[in-house]
Amino acid sequence: GHYETWNTGILGPVALHGLDQGKWDLSRQKWTYQVGLKGEAMDLVSPNGFSSVEWMAASLVAQKPEPLRWHKAYFNAPEGDEPLALDMESMGKGQIWINGQSIGRYWTAYAHGDCNGCNYAGTFRPPKCQLGCGQPTQRWYHVPRSWLKPTQNLLVLFEELGGDPTRISLVKRSVSSICADVTEYHPNIKNWQIESYGKAQQFRRPKVHLRCSPGQSISFIKFASFGTPLGTCGSYQQGPCHAPASYAIVEKKCVGKQRCVVTIANSNFGQDPCPNVLKRLSVEAVCAPISSTTAQPNWGG
């Protein structure tokens, strides 16, 4: 704390040479360093402190986005218990407070690079297999529901670069489909300990774990295959090897539950569908549907 009071860095003497007036000695000048923001000192982030200044109407602010500005808005808490986040795509860089609590810093810098093609063969280099080119490095910022009141929640921003606060929205994260893809010899910590410490214990079969969001349950199994399934989440397909009991086993263990676990073993699926072949279990489950809404704050700047 109070690092600004420590004697660090260049302590002197300091002089400028080559000026028209000759040497200019700066050693006796008064050097100062300001910590924090004036708005923080005035407690603008608190529901009790923002009235100490005169705020401009949002319509005036939107006409000319400028850096180093404070913004405030009120919003009501959305119904439900899904995770919430602020969509900050329209902003630049700054800090967020909700009801006086700091959400933290945000920075929606855009990722640049070459996202065409992906091949991990050969020596690794940072440009390999880049993702998200042209997209914000981070767009959504989590808002704890425990910080919210039913109505009149105060959101305060300090924006350093500019941006349009009228386009900020509060969004829900609603998961409708979940996937898992695990091989029959997938590494896990228990097997690593057995191998590392030489303990004579039985090999622990890997397991598929499926879990819906709080308040949701698995309504049906969209895809299940123990064998050599193809594709990725959202586009799984049966491969040349498939255990016919795959759907029935996963449905019995998972449908109607918020979370479930399925052990990957031949005995669990009736018999080995293709001996001497490394098999996997791929599952895509659908969680019970839930309504999703977006709340738009009313802004003042």
Side-chain angles (χ1 to χ4, degrees), residues 66-81:
E66 293 184 357
L68 302 178
R69 287 240 176 146
W70 291 89
H71 304 279
K72 72 176 179 72
Y74 285 101
F75 66 96
N76 297 333
E79 297 180 353
D81 55 5

Side-chain angles (χ1 to χ4, degrees), residues 183-224:
T183 64
E184 58 182 336
Y185 292 104
H186 195 87
N188 61 61
I189 187 65
K190 293 295 184 182
N191 291 332
W192 178 83
Q193 290 175 341
I194 293 171
E195 184 176 333
S196 299
Y197 301 111
K199 296 180 181 179
Q201 298 179 356
Q202 184 180 3
F203 176 80
R204 294 180 179 268
R205 297 287 178 182
K207 301 176 181 179
V208 158
H209 295 259
L210 297 173
R211 180 175 63 181
C212 293
S213 300
Q216 294 183 332
S217 64
I218 298 173
S219 58
F220 71 94
I221 304 301
K222 187 175 181 180
F223 180 88

Side-chain angles (χ1 to χ4, degrees), residues 65-218:
E66 293 184 357
L68 302 178
R69 287 240 176 146
W70 291 89
H71 304 279
K72 72 176 179 72
Y74 285 101
F75 66 96
N76 297 333
E79 297 180 353
D81 55 5
E82 308 95 327
L84 300 176
L86 285 171
D87 185 348
M88 303 296 293
E89 184 179 23
S90 65
M91 302 304 289
K93 178 183 180 183
Q95 299 185 58
I96 312 171
W97 294 265
I98 290 183
N99 294 332
Q101 299 278 359
S102 174
I103 293 291
R105 294 187 63 85
Y106 66 89
W107 192 0
T108 55
Y110 282 78
H112 300 286
D114 182 8
C115 290
N116 296 323
C118 180
N119 186 358
Y120 280 109
T123 305
F124 174 78
R125 301 187 310 277
K128 279 191 174 183
C129 297
Q130 294 182 335
L131 301 174
C133 297
Q135 300 296 320
T137 52
Q138 185 169 340
R139 175 177 174 179
W140 294 281
Y141 293 80
H142 178 233
V143 177
R145 277 190 175 268
S146 59
W147 290 7
L148 301 182
K149 303 177 295 183
T151 60
Q152 288 292 293
N153 293 284
L154 175 64
L155 171 60
V156 176
L157 302 178
F158 178 71
E159 170 59 44
E160 300 177 26
L161 302 178
D164 183 2
T166 63
R167 292 168 52 199
I168 296 174
S169 60
L170 186 66
V171 298
K172 293 181 178 181
R173 185 177 187 270
S174 182
V175 177
S176 60
S177 183
I178 53 177
C179 294
D181 183 36
V182 181
T183 64
E184 58 182 336
Y185 292 104
H186 195 87
N188 61 61
I189 187 65
K190 293 295 184 182
N191 291 332
W192 178 83
Q193 290 175 341
I194 293 171
E195 184 176 333
S196 299
Y197 301 111
K199 296 180 181 179
Q201 298 179 356
Q202 184 180 3
F203 176 80
R204 294 180 179 268
R205 297 287 178 182
K207 301 176 181 179
V208 158
H209 295 259
L210 297 173
R211 180 175 63 181
C212 293
S213 300
Q216 294 183 332
S217 64
I218 298 173

Side-chain angles (χ1 to χ4, degrees), residues 252-300:
K252 182 179 178 180
K253 290 181 175 291
C254 298
V255 171
K257 299 179 181 179
Q258 192 256 336
R259 58 190 302 176
C260 67
V261 178
V262 181
T263 302
I264 301 176
N266 291 322
S267 58
N268 215 9
F269 293 90
Q271 61 182 6
D272 191 338
C274 42
N276 302 321
V277 173
L278 180 64
K279 292 168 286 294
R280 66 200 309 158
L281 175 59
S282 297
V283 180
E284 181 176 359
V286 175
C287 296
I290 190 168
S291 61
S292 178
T293 59
T294 299
Q296 194 77 26
N298 295 318
W299 280 97

Side-chain angles (χ1 to χ4, degrees), residues 40-57:
E40 287 183 292
M42 299 173 67
D43 201 22
L44 294 186
V45 303
S46 169
N48 301 322
F50 74 89
S51 59
S52 58
V53 298
E54 183 177 349
W55 295 82
M56 297 174 60

